[in-house]
Amino acid sequence: DGGITQSPKYLFRKEGQNVTLSCEQNLNHDAMYWYRQDPGQGLRLIYYSQIVNDFQKGDIAEGYSVSREKKESFPLTVTSAQKNPTAFYLCASSPTEAELFFGEGSRLTVL
Amino acid sequence: DAKTTQPPSMDCAEGRAANLPCNHSTISGNEYVYWYRQIHSQGPQYIIHGLKNNETNEMASLIITEDRKSSTLILPHATLRDTAVYYCIVRAAPHSGGSNYKLTFGKGTLLTVNP
């Protein structure tokens, strides 16, 4: 069953802790993306990766880090430097420059 | 800088056609118009895209004006399950450069289908 899997679906963290969100795809897509969504807002691009071992900053990369060691995986780490990390995080992939396929999202809450 | 403008909300009666407008007056010749929708608390779903000709698939129809400065997404027979936020974005043609990956989704249009 092809698709994009994000985990965990819900995550709680204490202030000052780093947390890593997982994103795995078995669609054989080259490009992967991370977006952040706040209540009532659109999607803002955090990082994107066009190909393995390469990634670029999006519009709001500060306080986040990523890696792309495998084609199938694009984990996002929310670091303690991110001042307002509570949000809905969406991962997507696409076959090069075509339409995006999104995962179901991970909701992070900082306590 | 917003590339598209959409009304914040619209209502539609179940079974009727839903027509969602999008203005993209600064669109350039190699940019496509894409539509996605997001049902509450889920990931967005691709609907349709087009360059200058009208397009239709099993989900919707896309009508692009001749000057390409605006478009309309049409859901021919809206159902309650079509209640969602609809996003219109513009995107350059493939192989236009790295910036083609920096896709911006605005606030979209919240379509509410009423029984």
Side-chain angles (χ1 to χ4, degrees):
Chain A
D1 211 35
I4 300 175
T5 302
Q6 288 188 241
S7 62
K9 192 173 177 67
Y10 299 96
L11 185 62
F12 298 88
R13 100 162 199 213
K14 295 181 180 179
E15 280 193 41
Q17 287 182 334
N18 291 355
V19 63
T20 296
L21 306 180
S22 169
C23 179
E24 303 278 332
Q25 55 101 357
N26 59 4
L27 300 168
N28 200 34
H29 289 169
D30 285 315
M32 297 188 74
Y33 313 75
W34 274 105
Y35 284 88
R36 168 182 172 139
Q37 186 173 36
D38 294 286
Q41 303 298 312
L43 282 64
R44 292 185 289 170
L45 183 64
I46 305 173
Y47 270 98
Y48 65 96
S49 168
Q50 296 174 234
I51 199 166
V52 175
N53 294 320
D54 181 67
F55 50 83
Q56 306 295 329
K57 292 183 179 180
D59 300 316
I60 55 164
E62 186 175 349
Y64 300 98
S65 66
V66 293
S67 63
R68 187 84 187 279
E69 296 176 3
K70 297 186 299 182
K71 188 176 187 178
E72 311 81 53
S73 178
F74 192 41
L76 173 74
T77 296
V78 184
T79 75
S80 57
Q82 170 49 237
K83 298 306 178 189
N84 187 20
T86 294
F88 187 48
Y89 290 89
L90 286 157
C91 178
S93 69
S94 71
T96 60
E97 296 169 87
E99 61 268 21
L100 273 63
F101 293 77
F102 284 85
E104 290 302 303
S106 293
R107 192 169 298 280
L108 172 63
T109 302
V110 174
L111 303 173
Chain B
D1 54 343
K3 284 192 164 185
T4 65
T5 304
Q6 299 177 255
S9 64
M10 294 182 65
D11 286 302
C12 177
E14 188 177 18
R16 305 296 291 268
N19 298 283
L20 293 101
C22 179
N23 285 320
H24 30 80
S25 58
T26 61
I27 194 170
S28 56
N30 70 342
E31 287 185 317
Y32 285 75
V33 179
Y34 277 77
W35 283 84
Y36 291 79
R37 74 178 183 185
Q38 184 178 24
I39 296 171
H40 183 62
S41 295
Q42 296 183 20
Q45 175 191 23
Y46 163 80
I47 301 173
I48 199 168
H49 73 280
L51 183 63
K52 54 184 177 181
N53 297 321
N54 298 339
E55 302 287 345
T56 296
N57 63 19
E58 64 278 5
M59 290 184 68
S61 295
L62 175 60
I63 308 297
I64 302 174
T65 58
E66 193 169 343
D67 63 8
R68 302 208 324 121
K69 293 186 177 181
S70 65
S71 61
T72 301
L73 179 76
I74 301 172
L75 307 178
H77 304 288
T79 70
L80 299 179
R81 290 184 296 177
D82 292 321
T83 292
V85 176
Y86 288 77
Y87 299 99
C88 166
I89 67 172
V90 295
R91 184 178 196 183
H95 312 298
S96 298
S99 64
N100 196 35
Y101 289 88
K102 295 187 72 174
L103 302 180
T104 300
F105 290 74
K107 294 184 181 181
T109 296
L110 172 60
L111 174 68
T112 302
V113 181
N114 301 304

